[in-house]
């Protein structure tokens, strides 16, 4: 029996594919510090956890395909509190995580073999979402030397063809931590207007901005009919396993088209939507504290990396990742070495090789994405493992 040709073209996620090696290390009694995945160790808000315990519907029902109205109303209020006044519940469609939101957007805006332009490096699972929709990703390389800022707009313009359906941006960015500024957004919006295409912006890290100002794509009224925002509860409230996200747009034709896909998968999960409704009632101090904590971790990580000879990294402005470049030829090989052949005082570290965060072949081979999702004590131990591991790896490869 044979699997489809289609599935053989999919990648195993570089964020997760080394997990069997990590589990094998743990079986040997080695403690692994997981800096590979954006799985925060921060506590979910108590109001949300209480809702899990207090869920008391007589059965767990299907709900509306577009999501529970109370949740959509809650999100509309959330955007109002964040300075975006005119997003109504009708402009919001709840999805099963931001992941489904990206897939639905691709399926709705692009035909097979259409193109989506994306600055690379980008959130690597987008590669698989594009494949599912048979969409080709057209990369524009952003560079570590430029702190991963938006490449010149002319580069985007050159890549626009009859097949371009949209440009996809992520701000604050995973994996680079860059926050696109108002000027950069405006340049892209003008380009999209000129070429009659959509601008998709993934804002799942919108709460986590440490330097500079965050500008939401939802705040550009003049362009609102060609804007789609992707949102998620996963990171904001440390509830990644709840699988609640959203598509937000003033373009009703887009949302009504997405609804066909939503109806086919019936509805987003009910218990988790109730939990999300509760999460929205979280006291503002929760997110303020979480943001402070991530900022502390960022500063700790970047100053630690600065002290490791030969490692280049920039200071991420937001989200909770950075891309670091190592003085070696192949970061994937290094990541495997750390899990398979190394430990320092019974501990090691797992990182995500960054090559698959790029479409362009060969770029990013020396780079890895590091998530600062652990407390500073564990981060400190992880940094020691990284430094000692690098020393040993270099000895073996010189
Ligand atoms: C940029 C970005 N978009 C979307 C997602 C998917 O999030 P969700 O858990 O909501 O599916 C992630 C998850 O890491 C992400 O980093």
């Amino acid at each position: 029996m044979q699997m489809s040709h289609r599935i053989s073209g999919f990648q195993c996620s570089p964020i997760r594919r080394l997990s069997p090696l990590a589990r094998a290390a743990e079986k040997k009694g080695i403690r692994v510090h997981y800096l590979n995945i954006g799985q925060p160790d921060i506590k979910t808000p108590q109001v949300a956890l209480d809702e899990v315990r207090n869920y008391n519907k007589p059965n767990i029902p299907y709900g509306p395909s577009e999501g529970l109205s109370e949740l959509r109303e809650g999100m509309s209020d959330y955007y109002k509190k964040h300075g975006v006044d005119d997003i109504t519940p009708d402009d919001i469609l709840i999805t099963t995580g931001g992941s489904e939101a990206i897939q639905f957007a691709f399926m709705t805006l692009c035909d097979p073999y259409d193109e989506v332009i994306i600055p690379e490096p980008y959130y690597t699972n987008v590669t698989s979402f594009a494949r599912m929709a048979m969409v080709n990703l057209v990369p524009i390389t952003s560079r570590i030397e430029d702190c991963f800022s938006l490449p010149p707009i002319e580069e985007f313009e050159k890549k626009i063809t009859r097949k371009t359906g949209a440009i996809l941006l992520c701000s604050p960015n995973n994996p680079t931590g860059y926050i696109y500024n108002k000027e950069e957004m405006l340049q892209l919006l003008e380009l999209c207007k000129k070429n009659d295409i959509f601008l998709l912006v993934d804002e799942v890290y919108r709460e986590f901005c440490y330097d500079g100002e965050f500008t939401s794509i939802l705040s550009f009224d003049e362009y609102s009919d060609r804007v789609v925002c992707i949102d998620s509860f996963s990171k904001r409230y440390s509830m990644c396993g709840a699988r609640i996200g959203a598509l937000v747009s003033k373009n009703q034709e887009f949302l009504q088209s997405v609804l066909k896909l939503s109806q086919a998968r019936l509805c987003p999960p009910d218990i988790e939507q109730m939990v999300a409704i509760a999460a929205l009632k979280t006291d503002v101090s929760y997110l303020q504290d979480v943001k402070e904590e991530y900022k502390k971790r960022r500063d700790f990580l970047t100053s630690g990396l600065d002290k490791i000879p030969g490692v280049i990294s920039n200071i991420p402005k937001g989200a909770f990742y950075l891309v670091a470049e190592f003085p070696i030829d192949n970061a994937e090989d290094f990541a495997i070495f750390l899990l398979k052949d190394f430990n320092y005082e019974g501990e090691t570290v797992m990182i995500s090789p960054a090559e698959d965060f790029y479409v362009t072949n060969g770029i990013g081979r020396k780079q890895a994405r590091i998530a600062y999702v652990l407390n500073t004590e564990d981060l400190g131990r992880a940094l020691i493992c990284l430094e000692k591991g690098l020393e040993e790896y270099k000895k073996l490869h010189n």
Side-chain angles (χ1 to χ4, degrees):
M1 286 207 291
Q2 208 178 323
M3 300 301 128
S4 67
H5 291 299
R6 185 198 355 249
I7 198 69
S8 62
F10 278 72
Q11 66 173 12
C12 286
S13 166
I15 302 169
R16 288 174 175 251
R17 70 171 168 244
L18 302 183
S19 301
L21 297 180
R23 280 194 294 274
E26 282 177 340
K27 265 200 176 148
K28 285 192 271 175
I30 295 169
R31 179 169 177 213
V32 180
H33 298 285
Y34 289 93
L35 302 188
N36 58 308
I37 192 163
Q39 164 80 63
D41 65 351
I42 306 273
K43 193 172 174 289
T44 308
Q46 194 57 42
V47 277
L49 294 173
D50 288 345
E51 181 58 36
V52 180
R53 292 183 190 107
N54 299 336
Y55 183 86
N56 66 356
K57 294 188 187 176
N59 61 34
I60 303 170
Y62 288 134
S65 298
E66 64 276 22
L68 296 176
S69 54
E70 205 183 335
L71 179 54
R72 292 158 65 226
E73 280 156 21
M75 285 191 75
S76 161
D77 288 345
Y78 163 86
Y79 293 121
K80 278 197 190 88
K81 280 188 204 134
H82 287 73
V84 183
D85 287 332
D86 63 342
I87 299 296
T88 71
D90 286 344
D91 303 326
I92 301 169
L93 185 145
I94 305 298
T95 55
T96 309
S99 306
E100 189 181 64
I102 302 172
Q103 289 165 49
F104 281 2
F106 281 178
M107 296 281 283
T108 304
L109 297 178
C110 301
D111 281 315
Y113 312 112
D114 276 356
E115 296 170 350
V116 168
I117 299 177
I118 186 165
E120 62 178 5
Y122 59 88
Y123 173 50
T124 176
N125 286 341
V126 172
T127 305
S128 294
F129 303 148
R131 266 193 178 263
M132 288 178 202
M134 296 178 72
V135 163
N136 293 325
L137 293 178
V138 176
I140 312 272
T141 308
S142 64
R143 294 176 201 284
I144 201 165
E145 309 87 75
D146 304 327
C147 299
F148 296 109
S149 58
L150 191 77
I153 199 73
E154 296 74 33
E155 289 192 36
F156 286 81
E157 192 149 23
K158 274 192 250 157
K159 293 287 164 81
I160 290 185
T161 69
R162 278 184 306 111
K163 290 186 162 299
T164 310
I167 296 174
L168 172 59
L169 217 62
C170 175
S171 184
N173 190 277
N174 172 7
T176 67
Y178 188 74
I179 301 175
Y180 296 94
N181 60 41
K182 201 169 175 182
E183 274 18 90
E184 292 172 320
M185 297 276 199
L186 270 172
Q187 285 183 330
L188 284 169
L189 284 164
E190 266 305 308
L191 188 67
C192 288
K193 187 173 169 188
K194 189 168 146 199
N195 292 280
D196 200 19
I197 58 174
F198 276 80
L199 183 61
L200 309 179
V201 184
D202 182 335
E203 296 188 356
V204 310
Y205 298 98
R206 68 203 312 282
E207 290 285 349
F208 306 122
C209 300
Y210 320 115
D211 297 331
E213 209 181 309
F214 168 71
T215 308
S216 171
I217 199 60
L218 297 172
S219 59
F220 295 89
D221 292 347
E222 195 195 324
Y223 302 87
S224 62
D225 60 332
R226 62 182 67 257
V227 160
V228 174
C229 173
I230 291 142
D231 208 348
S232 167
F233 282 71
S234 288
K235 319 288 171 167
R236 190 166 311 152
Y237 298 109
S238 251
M239 46 187 270
C240 299
R243 317 303 309 126
I244 300 294
L247 280 167
V248 187
S249 179
K250 293 303 278 181
N251 187 318
Q252 279 302 319
E253 190 187 351
F254 167 75
L255 287 181
Q256 289 308 311
S257 305
V258 173
L259 195 56
K260 295 182 198 168
L261 301 171
S262 308
Q263 288 177 349
R265 65 83 166 101
L266 304 175
C267 67
D270 191 72
I271 301 177
E272 284 82 346
Q273 286 186 88
M274 298 301 290
V275 173
I277 292 166
L280 285 168
K281 297 181 183 132
T282 307
D283 195 86
V284 279
S285 63
Y286 171 88
L287 281 169
Q288 283 161 358
D289 292 349
V290 172
K291 191 166 134 177
E292 262 318 297
E293 175 64 24
Y294 281 129
K295 186 170 185 293
K296 192 169 86 188
R297 294 174 183 193
R298 176 200 68 166
D299 295 342
F300 185 84
L301 176 67
T302 48
S303 71
L305 287 173
D306 250 6
K307 293 184 192 114
I308 306 182
V311 174
I312 301 168
S313 76
N314 57 295
I315 297 181
K317 291 169 188 281
F320 39 65
Y321 310 93
L322 60 76
V323 173
E325 192 159 301
F326 292 90
I328 51 172
D329 288 336
N330 186 328
E332 171 128 11
D333 196 51
F334 175 49
I336 293 172
F337 164 83
L338 287 171
L339 294 172
K340 248 177 89 184
D341 305 312
F342 169 83
N343 72 81
Y344 180 71
E345 296 178 348
E347 298 182 29
T348 192
V349 56
M350 182 169 177
I351 53 176
S352 283
E355 194 175 0
D356 288 341
F357 289 67
Y358 292 82
V359 178
T360 309
N361 268 339
I363 310 192
R365 196 163 287 168
K366 298 178 175 194
Q367 298 174 355
R369 186 190 76 167
I370 299 180
Y372 43 99
V373 287
L374 303 182
N375 61 61
T376 44
E377 196 188 325
D378 289 339
L379 260 185
R381 305 195 67 79
L383 273 164
I384 295 172
C385 292
L386 210 52
E387 179 167 13
K388 300 283 179 200
L390 188 60
E391 271 169 28
E392 266 193 43
Y393 183 84
K394 278 169 54 186
K395 271 187 219 149
L396 290 170
H397 290 81
N398 273 338

